[in-house]
């Protein structure tokens, strides 16, 4: 047993030997634990972290990475990252030692991924997972160098190629759906508020302040391993209050009347994301509008606001972005150039 009771202090301590990354046997002593369990947990965690030297294989480091991130990442994010890593990184680098992977091998890996014909945005998502692993290894476990930093990232973000509907396209789309129906209200909320898919599916009547025409976003929905999960939003900034137009408030009220007795805290739309996507595709086919994703309706909301002259800061607050730079990086190119106006202003001042 490596945990002992300090009879003088009334606390617990651990004293154990471990082998560091150089192979040297070292003694470790740590005091001040309230319980024996806490002391033993510390020992287990210390040895696990100490063993994470960069001579370990990528396979093993991925396990360390997710152990470190378990309280930082949401369950859905962990699931998505694990899927991409297991599919696109482990088959290539799984048995390679972390400190032996070279920039040249990263390029070869990129070439292999690019031959599979994925979209440029998906390629960038895959690249980001490998970058995250090496960044964590460098920051936390003293990996001397991140080989990804010497290589140009493959793919590209979707900032320069946003898919969205114009107001005319949305009008054509919504005209096909029966007013007052569940589908009608779903797409009305998405288009006129710009909230995320998970935020929509977590909505309940209690999230609406009818007297103030406000919508409070404070949770998100995911379906994980056949379980409905209501969690906090994507980021702290995602917790926000959105002003909604009067017509949208009235549509929500009419829908609530049709569902008399609906509990205030019950999900307004008890469906899953896949069902929502299928319904979108159904109406796209019926109306012949340009096919987009559910998330692109969020882009459509922003594009409409920009067309109406709404300032980036207001859009940032409405979307729940962390900072204005994120908003500008994503949507800045949609704003019309003001260069001619600047030149005219300078002429006038002259």
């Amino acid at each position: 047993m490596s945990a002992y009771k300090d009879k003088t202090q009334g606390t617990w301590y651990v004293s154990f030997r471990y082998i560091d990354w150089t192979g040297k046997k070292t003694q470790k002593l740590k005091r001040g634990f309230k319980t024996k369990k806490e002391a033993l947990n510390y020992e287990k965690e210390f040895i696990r972290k100490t063993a994470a030297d960069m001579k370990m294989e990528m396979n093993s480091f991925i396990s360390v990475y997710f152990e470190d991130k378990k309280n930082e990442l949401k369950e859905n994010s962990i699931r998505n990252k694990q899927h991409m890593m297991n599919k696109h990184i482990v088959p290539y680098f799984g048995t390679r030692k972390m400190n032996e992977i070279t920039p040249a091998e990263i390029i070869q890996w990129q070439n292999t991924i690019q031959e599979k014909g994925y979209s440029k945005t998906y390629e960038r998502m895959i690249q980001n997972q490998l970058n995250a692993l090496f960044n964590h290894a460098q920051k936390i476990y003293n990996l001397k160098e991140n080989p990804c930093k010497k290589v140009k990232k493959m793919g590209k973000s979707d900032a320069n190629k946003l898919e969205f509907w114009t107001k005319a396209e949305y009008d054509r789309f919504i005209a096909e759906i029966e007013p007052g129906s569940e589908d009608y209200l779903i797409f009305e909320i998405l288009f006129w508020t710009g909230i995320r898919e998970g935020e929509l599916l977590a909505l309940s009547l209690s999230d609406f302040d009818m007297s103030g025409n406000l919508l409070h976003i404070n949770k998100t929905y995911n379906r994980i391993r056949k379980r409905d999960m209501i969690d906090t939003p994507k980021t702290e900034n995602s917790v926000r209050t959105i002003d909604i137009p009067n017509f949208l408030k009235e549509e929500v009220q009419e829908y609530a009347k049709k569902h008399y007795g609906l509990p205030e805290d019950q999900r307004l739309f008890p469906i899953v994301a896949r069902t929502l996507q299928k319904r979108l595709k159904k109406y796209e086919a019926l109306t012949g509008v340009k096919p987009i994703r559910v998330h692109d309706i969020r882009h459509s909301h922003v594009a409409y606001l920009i067309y109406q002259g709404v300032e980036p800061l207001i859009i940032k607050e409405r979307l729940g972005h962390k900072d204005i730079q994120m908003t500008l990086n994503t949507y800045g190119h949609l704003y019309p150039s003001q260069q001619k106006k600047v030149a005219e202003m300078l002429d006038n001042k002259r």
Side-chain angles (χ1 to χ4, degrees):
M1 182 181 74
S2 54
Y4 307 90
K5 188 71 175 284
D6 187 328
K7 296 180 181 179
T8 303
Q9 300 295 329
T11 56
W12 288 80
Y13 67 95
V14 283
S15 178
F16 58 92
R17 297 180 68 82
Y18 67 96
I19 300 175
D20 66 16
W21 66 275
T22 66
K24 180 182 177 182
K25 290 185 178 181
T26 307
Q27 186 76 24
K28 177 68 176 178
L29 174 66
K30 178 71 173 179
R31 299 180 181 275
F33 299 101
K34 294 180 180 179
T35 65
K36 179 181 178 181
K37 183 178 180 181
E38 287 180 4
L40 291 173
N41 283 342
Y42 172 83
E43 177 188 355
K44 179 181 177 182
E45 186 72 0
F46 182 90
I47 293 175
R48 183 188 64 77
K49 291 287 182 65
T50 303
D53 67 278
M54 292 300 95
K55 291 182 180 179
M56 71 190 311
E57 295 181 353
M58 172 71 82
N59 259 331
S60 300
F61 185 73
I62 288 175
S63 298
V64 171
Y65 173 82
F66 283 112
E67 178 66 23
D68 289 347
K69 295 288 185 177
K70 66 183 180 181
N71 294 323
E72 178 182 334
L73 298 174
K74 296 186 182 299
E75 187 174 352
N76 194 51
S77 295
I78 290 175
R79 183 185 62 171
N80 291 338
K81 288 171 76 69
Q82 285 176 331
H83 171 75
M84 281 192 281
M85 288 181 187
N86 289 334
K87 185 174 182 180
H88 304 296
I89 295 177
V90 171
Y92 200 95
F93 293 117
T95 57
R96 298 284 288 116
K97 292 181 179 179
M98 290 292 292
N99 63 353
E100 294 181 355
I101 297 173
T102 66
E105 289 177 301
I106 301 295
I107 292 175
Q108 293 169 6
W109 169 75
Q110 288 178 335
N111 291 337
T112 300
I113 298 297
Q114 289 170 328
E115 289 171 359
K116 296 182 183 296
Y118 297 124
S119 69
K120 293 300 180 183
T121 53
Y122 189 63
E123 286 179 359
R124 177 57 61 87
M125 290 172 66
I126 298 171
Q127 176 78 63
N128 288 343
Q129 304 313 312
L130 188 63
N131 289 357
L133 289 170
F134 279 113
N135 284 338
H136 190 67
Q138 188 175 37
K139 182 179 179 181
I140 305 300
Y141 295 106
N142 300 317
L143 178 67
K144 184 177 180 181
E145 192 172 62
N146 179 351
C148 290
K149 290 182 178 179
K150 291 188 175 182
V151 177
K152 182 180 179 181
K153 288 184 178 181
M154 68 175 173
K156 62 179 181 180
S157 66
D158 61 359
N160 295 322
K161 189 182 177 183
L162 291 179
E163 295 288 349
F164 60 87
W165 284 332
T166 63
K167 172 63 164 49
E169 287 174 312
Y170 175 70
D171 287 342
R172 207 165 98 210
F173 172 86
I174 201 66
E176 184 63 33
I177 306 176
E178 180 184 351
S181 66
E182 180 180 77
D183 289 352
Y184 187 88
L185 184 57
I186 282 174
F187 291 112
E188 280 283 271
I189 291 175
L190 286 173
F191 186 84
W192 294 110
T193 67
I195 64 175
R196 299 179 179 90
E197 180 179 325
E199 294 168 346
L200 169 93
L201 296 179
L203 287 181
S204 61
L205 286 176
S206 62
D207 296 318
F208 291 88
D209 176 355
M210 300 302 184
S211 62
N213 283 33
L214 300 173
L215 172 58
H216 303 293
I217 303 298
N218 50 40
K219 54 188 179 294
T220 190
Y221 167 85
N222 280 299
R223 179 77 173 175
I224 301 176
R225 289 190 281 273
K226 298 183 179 181
R227 292 183 294 124
D228 292 328
M229 302 288 292
I230 300 293
D231 203 349
T232 53
K234 186 176 181 181
T235 66
E236 289 183 6
N237 299 86
S238 296
V239 177
R240 63 200 187 279
T241 297
I242 300 173
D243 287 87
I244 61 175
N246 197 61
F247 70 82
L248 185 59
K249 177 195 74 173
E250 292 175 350
E251 288 174 354
V252 175
Q253 288 176 321
E254 287 299 315
Y255 183 81
K257 286 180 182 178
K258 290 181 180 179
H259 296 77
Y260 181 77
L262 180 68
E264 287 281 313
D265 59 351
Q266 184 173 308
R267 286 175 60 211
L268 204 53
F269 310 115
I271 61 174
V272 298
R274 184 176 297 179
T275 300
L276 179 55
Q277 186 70 25
K278 286 181 179 179
R279 293 183 185 182
L280 172 67
K281 294 305 174 188
K282 180 181 81 170
Y283 295 116
E284 286 176 341
L286 287 173
T287 58
V289 296
K290 174 176 62 185
I292 63 173
R293 305 168 302 166
V294 172
H295 188 74
D296 294 327
I297 303 179
R298 177 173 166 88
H299 299 327
S300 304
H301 174 70
V302 176
Y304 181 70
L305 295 184
I306 291 173
Y307 182 77
Q308 297 301 321
V310 178
E311 296 295 326
L313 185 59
I314 303 300
I315 292 175
K316 174 254 181 191
E317 294 171 351
R318 197 166 181 85
L319 296 185
H321 281 169
K322 181 179 180 180
D323 53 50
I324 190 66
Q325 197 59 48
M326 181 183 294
T327 309
L328 292 174
N329 287 345
T330 307
Y331 301 107
H333 65 290
L334 296 181
Y335 280 89
S337 173
Q338 301 296 312
Q339 293 297 333
K340 182 175 289 188
K341 288 185 179 180
V342 170
E344 291 173 352
M345 178 271 291
L346 294 174
D347 265 334
N348 292 334
K349 294 296 182 182
R350 174 76 171 173

